[in-house]
Amino acid sequence: MITLLHPELLFDKQKIYRLPKFVGKIASKQPDTAIKMLVVYSQAAQLLAESNKVLLDNLAKACKLNTDNARYVNATCELELLSEWEKRYPNALILLLGDISFDAKFQQVKVNELKKIGQSNLLKAPPLEQLSQSKEGKAELWRLLQIHFKLK
């Protein structure tokens, strides 16, 4: 008999993606300077829906980043402190999507605010679900990303 990991998805026709668990699971603790944007989102499901993955991919492309320069992390599955991310991704913007507050430093950043805390540049935006449905939310996030990546 075959045991299914997610039997509720057996007849679901929506394409889903399981992202590799990069944070906390990397064998090497060497800094990854190629990563320019670390996107931290929070959702109950471990799987990222196709529409959300496309949104994040398009966001990275608009910032002139490729898939090797951006990482997506589900904070409900992979908790790390800001200090760990600073060491592992020293050149990255940490984009917090939603209420990511397991590190006290994350609570210092307000929604739609770009802030430097320690070595890190943090940007907090609305949750993925809200962002995907809000043109105003996307526009404000894009404005802040243009400032950070000097795209204007």
Side-chain angles (χ1 to χ4, degrees):
M1 180 196 277
I2 297 174
T3 305
L4 298 176
L5 184 60
H6 294 283
E8 70 277 6
L9 299 176
L10 184 61
F11 298 104
D12 189 0
K13 294 183 184 200
Q14 181 182 12
K15 292 183 182 175
I16 52 176
Y17 296 89
R18 179 179 301 280
L19 297 177
K21 293 186 177 184
F22 292 107
V23 178
K25 303 296 182 195
I26 299 177
S28 170
K29 294 290 185 181
Q30 296 298 318
D32 190 347
T33 56
I35 301 301
K36 303 298 179 201
M37 184 165 60
L38 180 66
V39 180
V40 183
Y41 63 94
S42 180
Q43 66 180 28
Q46 286 187 343
L47 306 173
L48 188 61
E50 180 183 20
S51 59
N52 289 337
K53 183 173 184 324
V54 168
L55 175 68
L56 294 178
D57 287 344
N58 288 340
L59 196 64
K61 286 177 193 172
C63 294
K64 301 189 188 307
L65 303 175
N66 61 36
T67 54
D68 295 333
N69 299 126
R71 292 265 162 88
Y72 311 140
V73 176
N74 186 348
T76 57
C77 301
E78 304 165 33
L79 298 177
E80 290 268 345
L81 295 176
L82 178 60
S83 59
E84 290 298 315
W85 283 334
E86 284 177 332
K87 289 177 197 168
R88 196 162 296 141
Y89 309 109
N91 301 332
L93 166 71
I94 299 175
L95 175 58
L96 305 169
L97 298 176
D99 186 25
I100 312 289
S101 57
F102 56 83
D103 188 317
K105 292 179 182 177
F106 295 158
Q107 297 172 0
Q108 298 174 23
V109 185
K110 297 176 184 157
V111 174
N112 293 325
E113 180 182 36
L114 183 60
K115 191 170 187 175
K116 186 159 184 84
I117 297 179
Q119 300 278 89
S120 299
N121 289 306
L122 297 171
L123 172 57
K124 195 172 213 178
L128 262 174
E129 298 76 27
Q130 185 180 345
L131 196 61
S132 64
Q133 298 172 358
S134 168
K135 285 186 179 183
E136 297 82 18
K138 287 181 204 172
E140 181 61 18
L141 176 58
W142 175 236
R143 185 186 70 77
L144 293 167
L145 288 170
Q146 286 176 317
I147 291 168
H148 176 76
F149 288 107
K150 297 173 178 68
L151 298 173
K152 276 190 170 182

